[in-house]
Amino acid sequence: PTDDTEYAVFTAQTILAAQGEPTLEHFVQAWEREILPISEQVLTGFSERSAIDNLRRGVQPAASGNDNPQHYDDSACPRAVAIGIFCVGQPERAAAVASLDAQITNGEDGIYAAQAMAAAVAQLCSGVELSSALQVARQYFPAQSWMAHGDGVARRCLAEASSPQDLLLLLTTRLINTVYSYGNAAPETIPAAFVIAEACQGDLQQGVLLANAIAKSADSLPALVGALCGAVQGKEALSTAWQAQLNRCRGLCLPFVAGAKLNEIAERLVL
């Protein structure tokens, strides 16, 4: 596990340290306490790095996320997975907390995407059926937004596809363009993750393999699909060997999360 996992763990640790309902202040203080002092050592994406630079100059949220050249990316979405687990069965609460965390690094579409991801995971972890959970999550895509446009394209691709493999072809010709730049744009990756999960009926193995086939978005799309399908199927979707292999963080991007165990963190989030 690397960046997506480690930033999700960081957010989970922040939530647990809050010992109650996390606030914007909790999230900002965690970035200032844990990340800023070692900012030259941590590995980040563009939006996180810009947020770090903003925070170091005293620029606080929401400006730290809005005044950001990649405010629309999906970097807050893996962090939103931890929030969804914490707010299991409470999608509105999950979306509200996710917006607090996301505004540190993102604005507009980047926040909408995180809200939708948190709401989806919160429902799926409580046993809500996949299509119903995603229907609620899509309510966080404001009309006329880039997110709503991308979601509309993705859903039309799903309706036309005769198989999950055909869906990939349609997504790569209509939603996710072939230019590499900004391969993690949330209005592309989140709508794609939603429809891939639906096409696979929440099957983790099939969903992650399919998501890996979209080269431009292979940095985050498999992780996003995996989070959705994992919330559907639970840890039993992975063999014990793979669970053991993936369970411990190595601290490659965030050194201070080295040694953290995902199963223990997940269990604490839902207590």
Side-chain angles (χ1 to χ4, degrees):
T2 52
D3 58 341
D4 290 336
T5 302
E6 293 185 6
Y7 278 90
V9 167
F10 168 53
T11 292
Q13 291 175 337
T14 302
I15 292 170
L16 293 171
Q19 297 183 335
E21 192 68 8
T23 65
L24 176 60
E25 185 178 12
H26 286 122
F27 290 117
V28 173
Q29 287 179 348
W31 279 75
E32 294 176 336
R33 180 179 63 252
E34 303 291 347
I35 293 180
L36 262 60
I38 57 169
S39 60
E40 300 306 315
Q41 301 174 43
V42 302
L43 301 180
T44 73
F46 290 114
S47 64
E48 296 103 330
R49 181 56 58 183
S50 295
I52 290 170
D53 290 343
N54 280 335
L55 292 171
R56 290 178 67 179
R57 291 186 293 110
V59 178
Q60 295 289 302
S64 62
N66 282 322
D67 187 11
N68 191 312
Q70 204 167 336
H71 65 273
Y72 52 82
D73 77 8
D74 60 17
S75 64
C77 294
R79 308 199 309 263
V81 172
I83 294 169
I85 297 171
F86 173 67
C87 299
V88 60
Q90 303 175 76
E92 293 183 359
R93 178 186 176 212
V97 176
S99 71
L100 301 178
D101 176 68
Q103 65 183 271
I104 296 173
T105 55
N106 294 89
E108 298 180 342
D109 295 284
I111 295 178
Y112 311 150
Q115 290 179 295
M117 192 70 182
V121 171
Q123 294 172 92
L124 293 172
C125 287
S126 67
V128 175
E129 190 269 333
L130 178 61
S131 61
S132 298
L134 296 183
Q135 182 178 359
V136 171
R138 288 180 169 114
Q139 295 176 9
Y140 293 96
F141 303 156
Q144 308 305 316
S145 67
W146 186 9
M147 283 298 309
H149 171 74
D151 181 59
V153 173
R155 294 170 77 177
R156 288 191 292 274
C157 290
L158 178 63
E160 293 179 31
S162 58
S163 69
Q165 290 74 22
D166 287 353
L167 173 62
L168 295 187
L169 181 60
L170 292 174
L171 290 174
T172 55
T173 55
R174 299 183 186 178
L175 177 65
I176 301 174
N177 63 49
T178 56
V179 178
Y180 176 75
S181 298
Y182 306 117
N184 61 340
E188 294 181 356
T189 57
I190 291 298
F194 280 13
V195 296
I196 290 173
E198 288 181 288
C200 298
Q201 298 181 327
D203 184 88
L204 177 67
Q205 302 287 347
Q206 184 183 22
V208 171
L209 288 173
L210 286 168
N212 266 306
I214 301 181
K216 174 185 173 182
S217 299
D219 178 64
S220 59
L221 186 56
L224 297 171
V225 173
L228 293 168
C229 294
V232 172
Q233 291 190 309
K235 66 179 182 180
E236 292 75 16
L238 293 175
S239 69
T240 54
W242 273 105
Q243 289 182 39
Q245 179 67 28
L246 299 173
N247 192 43
R248 186 184 295 271
C249 289
R250 293 177 288 174
L252 299 179
C253 297
L254 296 176
F256 56 85
V257 304
K261 295 182 178 179
L262 302 185
N263 63 338
E264 294 178 356
I265 290 173
E267 289 171 1
R268 291 178 62 196
L269 284 174
V270 297
L271 289 178

